[in-house]
Amino acid sequence: MSAFLNLTKKLQKLGFSDWVLTRLKHEISNIQFEDGKNLFLNKLAEELANDNPSEAILSSRYIFVLGASGSGKTTLSAKFAARIAQESKNRVVALGQLGAHKDLHMDSLKSYSRLINVPNINMNTDNAIKKLINLEQKVVVDVSLDGNKTLDTIKSLKERVGARNVLTVMILPAGSSKHYIKGQVGNYGGLKPLVACTKTDENVISPEEFSSIADHNLSIGYLTGTKSILNSISFVDKSFLAQYLKESIVTFNQ
């Protein structure tokens, strides 16, 4: 068996998809396993990592955090707001929730707003655009709408304020299946969101997950656990992500 086929077989066994392996096959042709594996993971990290996820948060006027219930949306929204508040050293950020009238249960978000000392905004589909445009602060929005309503609201806002002022972040909890990821991409992929992987203190992100994210041409910007609000986000660059990939390989190869 050639070195390339041997390496490909081992990477497939770990969970990397055929599509990703085919896409990056020129990186690993005719190379022994260890060197080929490292080259492959470095290249995959380069393709997956966002150029500057920290700047994306700090420079955007409106940040929408999207994902399923229980995925860590509210906590991550608070973490983003805390990061902006820390960097600006003043109250230039608000924390809000966007949902249908019956779904706006804000207790957790209000608690986080008090913790980091920022305003709290409650929005629904009828008043979201007006409230957002009238805010003086940047705003991080925990979204609790279904996919179509989310797309319509964000599209309308982009038309009013310009797409460069709006950032969308889609949450994928560590340990998600490729089918779960496909469903979330079906809901929010049209917005070309940055990916935030949450619950990384509970699960290791698997090769299957990384492959699925790459298969959908998404970029990973943030890794975070479930605990502290302050100083608890890893802003992903290609070096950080390459190291995480190598460490996850060790875990899944045990």
Side-chain angles (χ1 to χ4, degrees):
M1 183 181 293
S2 71
F4 170 70
L5 290 176
N6 183 49
L7 175 57
T8 300
K9 185 175 180 180
K10 289 182 177 180
L11 291 170
Q12 284 174 325
K13 188 175 180 180
L14 288 169
F16 290 104
S17 70
D18 292 342
W19 188 85
V20 165
L21 290 168
T22 300
R23 179 174 168 183
L24 300 179
K25 67 180 180 180
H26 60 284
E27 300 296 326
I28 56 177
S29 297
N30 302 315
I31 298 176
Q32 295 302 314
F33 177 70
E34 199 61 33
D35 290 339
K37 179 195 71 175
N38 287 333
L39 283 172
F40 167 77
L41 295 177
N42 287 341
K43 184 62 178 179
L44 180 58
E46 185 178 323
E47 294 209 359
L48 282 172
N50 183 258
D51 290 338
N52 196 337
S54 179
E55 178 61 22
I57 291 295
L58 296 175
S59 64
S60 298
R61 178 75 187 277
Y62 307 97
I63 301 161
F64 291 87
V65 182
L66 317 169
S69 177
S71 63
K73 286 198 315 304
T74 301
T75 304
L76 185 62
S77 297
K79 290 178 181 183
F80 284 153
R83 169 75 175 189
I84 295 167
Q86 278 183 319
E87 290 294 320
S88 63
K89 296 183 174 60
N90 58 43
R91 292 176 58 171
V92 299
V93 62
L95 187 56
Q97 185 180 41
L98 172 60
H101 293 276
K102 62 183 177 64
D103 296 325
L104 290 173
H105 305 299
M106 300 271 297
D107 290 346
S108 295
L109 211 63
K110 285 180 180 177
S111 296
Y112 287 136
S113 296
R114 289 192 292 268
L115 175 66
I116 59 180
N117 194 28
V118 300
N120 186 267
I121 311 297
N122 188 341
M123 293 168 285
N124 58 59
T125 50
D126 295 329
N127 61 26
I129 300 299
K130 182 177 180 180
K131 279 194 172 185
L132 288 167
I133 290 175
N134 288 337
L135 278 174
E136 295 181 1
Q137 301 95 341
K138 294 173 179 284
V139 59
V140 182
V141 184
D142 174 3
V143 179
S144 301
L145 295 173
D146 66 32
N148 289 332
K149 290 179 180 177
T150 298
L151 293 175
D152 290 344
T153 300
I154 295 176
K155 181 180 177 182
S156 295
L157 182 65
K158 285 182 176 181
E159 289 172 351
R160 296 284 297 274
V161 303
R164 66 184 179 82
N165 291 308
V166 180
L167 174 66
T168 53
V169 178
M170 181 177 72
I171 289 184
L172 297 176
S176 298
S177 70
K178 63 182 178 181
H179 304 292
Y180 177 91
I181 294 171
K182 182 178 179 181
Q184 293 303 297
V185 172
N187 287 333
Y188 308 117
L191 296 169
K192 301 188 183 304
L194 273 180
V195 170
C197 295
T198 58
K199 304 190 178 184
T200 56
D201 53 349
E202 299 178 15
N203 295 293
V204 176
I205 306 170
S206 70
E208 178 181 275
E209 291 171 86
F210 281 119
S211 288
S212 186
I213 293 167
D215 289 350
H216 293 291
N217 293 311
L218 296 172
S219 295
I220 300 173
Y222 317 96
L223 269 61
T224 184
T226 56
K227 298 178 181 177
S228 171
I229 296 298
L230 301 175
N231 300 316
S232 60
I233 304 175
S234 295
F235 293 89
V236 173
D237 61 22
K238 61 184 180 182
S239 297
F240 177 99
L241 192 56
Q243 184 60 36
Y244 187 97
L245 279 161
K246 291 167 189 175
E247 291 172 358
S248 72
I249 287 292
V250 172
T251 300
F252 277 86
N253 203 28
Q254 289 175 342

